[in-house]
Amino acid sequence: MSKKEIGVSSAVINRLPRYYRYLRELYRADILRISSSELSKMMNITASQIRHDFNCFGGFGQQGYGYNVKYLYNQISEILGVQDNFSAVIIGAGNLCRAISAGSIFTHRGVKLLSIFDNSQEKIGLTIAGVEVRPVDELKTFCKQNQVDIAVLTVPKSAAKETAEKILGTGIKGVWNYTNMELDLSVHGIAVQNIHLGDTLMTLCYTMKEQLEKGTV
Amino acid sequence: MSKKEIGVSSAVINRLPRYYRYLRELYRADILRISSSELSKMMNITASQIRHDFNCFGGFGQQGYGYNVKYLYNQISEILGVQDNFSAVIIGAGNLCRAISAGSIFTHRGVKLLSIFDNSQEKIGLTIAGVEVRPVDELKTFCKQNQVDIAVLTVPKSAAKETAEKILGTGIKGVWNYTNMELDLSVHGIAVQNIHLGDTLMTLCYTMKEQLEKGTV
């Protein structure tokens, strides 16, 4: 991987997972090579956008020859840390935990789900997505015994701060935060992705409203 | 609302829901007025970014006087269609449906959940989040009898296309799509927000990897 990537804008970074998904499909369909114009058509973005994004990482293709799908897929996987085999635990064994852990979200991205933690006696001891639900009290010990990189927070907003504090000192380096309470743990050297599912519902409503006003619907 | 908003970039639009959340908190805490520097500090973005974003809609504040929280909250609500009282149905009564419908995602954004649809005999007839789960076969009739604006797709990827086709001709104008299959229904005049929960997990892994490489963790 080229070291040209230093200082890549967050807009470019945020677009990489979408490239990853498309390249994964192409790779699995045994497509060997794709031009930027084909990729552009498939992904509904301009070819110049694609070239710009890939150039941030030193390119990946040869002019007029297209991209080698396997190579590109591997490069983007590496950039995104898919090959780093990060491990994760989920804190909060509710419906969102079940929804997130049931599919292939973790495995498709090289992340291994090690355990789930909850406070409820009804949930402790259950097996969800092949892993055991353990009491939150055991989080620190578990993290010491198993190297845990990521905590997924699916507890209610009211328990967000308290749960975030339990993560400090466990060696966890990243938080995928679904609590709807924005967390900033940068002073502790912990990266956070704050997820607000409702935000995209609002963007959808905005688009619908705009289309209705323009009379395009 | 100023009509200056025509042609506002999607980056600005995507930031509006976050302003909405913060202003909602301020409004509920009876804060009457806030300066762009206070809002900047709270939201961890620059004051010039805030001024730029708000200027896309004709401003909202007076120089040196700050923003009137209630006015700003109402303006952003209006821009985002919160006051349009859109209605929604969810198709797919699984864990994600339960997670999304249990909280205040819909009500906080002015969207009324009217019904949930599923094919499973075990789920039909259940009450989830106060609404009845109906058979998918009844979707068209239900939409004709009740004006439904939004379909939330929480069916598996394998059922995505088939379910999207069932929406056509129902009057539904927007799709909040959690199937992990990207849909484009623009030729049918239907707006789509394609959600890929795994994308932000990858962005998190990227950030963690970058921090580890820089040795900042």
Side-chain angles (χ1 to χ4, degrees):
Chain A
M1 178 181 38
S2 160
K3 278 296 162 197
K4 203 175 170 189
E5 72 181 85
I6 291 161
V8 175
S9 78
S10 62
V12 175
I13 302 307
N14 290 338
R15 280 194 291 269
L16 287 184
R18 187 158 178 259
Y19 288 115
Y20 175 80
R21 280 190 274 113
Y22 274 88
L23 287 163
R24 193 171 182 281
E25 296 280 329
L26 290 168
Y27 178 57
R28 292 179 68 188
D30 290 324
I31 310 281
L32 300 178
R33 194 161 286 283
I34 192 160
S35 67
S36 58
S37 66
E38 286 167 318
L39 195 57
S40 149
K41 207 173 164 186
M42 190 189 294
M43 294 183 64
N44 199 23
I45 51 175
T46 66
S48 74
Q49 171 87 80
I50 293 173
R51 283 189 296 266
H52 165 268
D53 288 348
F54 291 175
N55 275 335
C56 295
F57 300 92
F60 294 132
Q62 289 166 260
Q63 198 71 35
Y65 189 62
Y67 298 106
N68 175 318
V69 170
K70 187 181 171 184
Y71 175 77
L72 189 51
Y73 171 64
N74 283 334
Q75 291 292 301
I76 293 184
S77 300
E78 196 188 325
I79 293 168
L80 288 171
V82 176
Q83 293 154 9
D84 287 37
N85 301 312
F86 286 126
S87 63
V89 297
I90 303 177
I91 311 177
N95 292 314
L96 192 58
C97 162
R98 287 181 181 270
I100 289 173
S101 60
S104 46
I105 287 183
F106 292 108
T107 52
H108 276 187
R109 285 153 190 92
V111 175
K112 190 167 167 57
L113 180 63
L114 298 182
S115 189
I116 294 168
F117 293 86
D118 202 287
N119 267 333
S120 154
Q121 286 304 322
E122 286 169 24
K123 289 174 184 164
I124 293 164
L126 290 178
T127 297
I128 298 177
V131 299
E132 193 188 331
V133 181
R134 293 179 168 85
V136 178
D137 287 348
E138 293 180 12
L139 178 69
K140 268 208 161 70
T141 314
F142 185 89
C143 290
K144 274 180 193 165
Q145 289 168 351
N146 305 271
Q147 196 192 325
V148 180
D149 303 303
I150 299 167
V152 186
L153 302 192
T154 52
V155 297
K157 191 174 185 177
S158 55
K161 277 192 177 169
E162 177 196 341
T163 311
E165 279 162 16
K166 290 189 174 137
I167 288 164
L168 308 181
T170 59
I172 283 171
K173 296 179 285 289
V175 172
W176 200 25
N177 174 24
Y178 281 91
T179 64
N180 283 315
M181 160 87 70
E182 287 196 20
L183 296 173
D184 180 355
L185 304 174
S186 54
V187 292
H188 304 284
I190 299 173
V192 181
Q193 275 280 328
N194 292 302
I195 313 299
H196 293 269
L197 296 180
D199 282 8
T200 52
L201 177 61
M202 300 201 94
T203 319
L204 178 65
C205 290
Y206 173 87
T207 314
M208 289 167 60
K209 188 176 148 75
E210 207 186 25
Q211 287 188 349
L212 287 169
E213 282 170 1
K214 281 183 187 164
T216 56
V217 173
Chain B
M1 181 179 38
S2 162
K3 279 294 160 197
K4 203 176 170 187
E5 71 180 85
I6 291 161
V8 175
S9 79
S10 61
V12 175
I13 302 307
N14 291 338
R15 280 195 291 269
L16 287 184
R18 188 158 177 257
Y19 288 116
Y20 175 79
R21 281 189 275 112
Y22 275 88
L23 287 163
R24 192 169 183 282
E25 295 282 328
L26 290 169
Y27 178 58
R28 291 179 68 188
D30 291 324
I31 311 279
L32 300 179
R33 194 161 286 282
I34 192 160
S35 68
S36 57
S37 66
E38 286 167 318
L39 195 57
S40 150
K41 207 174 166 187
M42 190 188 297
M43 295 183 64
N44 200 23
I45 50 175
T46 65
S48 74
Q49 172 87 83
I50 293 174
R51 282 189 297 265
H52 165 268
D53 289 347
F54 291 175
N55 275 336
C56 296
F57 300 92
F60 294 133
Q62 288 167 261
Q63 199 72 35
Y65 189 63
Y67 298 107
N68 175 318
V69 170
K70 186 180 172 185
Y71 176 77
L72 189 51
Y73 172 63
N74 282 335
Q75 290 292 301
I76 293 183
S77 301
E78 195 188 325
I79 292 168
L80 288 171
V82 177
Q83 292 154 9
D84 287 37
N85 300 312
F86 287 125
S87 64
V89 297
I90 302 178
I91 310 177
N95 292 315
L96 192 58
C97 162
R98 286 180 183 271
I100 290 174
S101 60
S104 45
I105 287 183
F106 291 108
T107 51
H108 276 186
R109 285 152 188 94
V111 176
K112 191 169 166 55
L113 179 64
L114 298 181
S115 189
I116 295 169
F117 293 87
D118 202 288
N119 268 332
S120 154
Q121 286 303 323
E122 286 169 24
K123 288 172 185 167
I124 292 166
L126 291 179
T127 298
I128 298 176
V131 300
E132 194 188 330
V133 181
R134 294 180 167 84
V136 178
D137 288 347
E138 293 179 12
L139 178 69
K140 269 210 161 66
T141 314
F142 185 89
C143 290
K144 274 179 194 166
Q145 288 167 351
N146 305 270
Q147 198 193 323
V148 180
D149 302 304
I150 299 167
V152 186
L153 302 193
T154 52
V155 296
K157 192 174 183 175
S158 54
K161 276 193 180 170
E162 176 196 344
T163 311
E165 279 162 18
K166 288 189 175 139
I167 287 164
L168 308 180
T170 59
I172 283 170
K173 297 178 284 288
V175 172
W176 200 25
N177 174 24
Y178 281 91
T179 65
N180 282 315
M181 160 87 71
E182 287 197 19
L183 297 173
D184 180 356
L185 303 174
S186 53
V187 292
H188 303 285
I190 298 173
V192 180
Q193 274 281 325
N194 292 302
I195 312 301
H196 293 268
L197 295 181
D199 282 7
T200 52
L201 176 61
M202 300 202 95
T203 318
L204 177 65
C205 289
Y206 173 87
T207 314
M208 289 166 61
K209 188 176 147 76
E210 207 187 25
Q211 288 187 348
L212 287 169
E213 283 171 0
K214 281 184 188 161
T216 54
V217 174

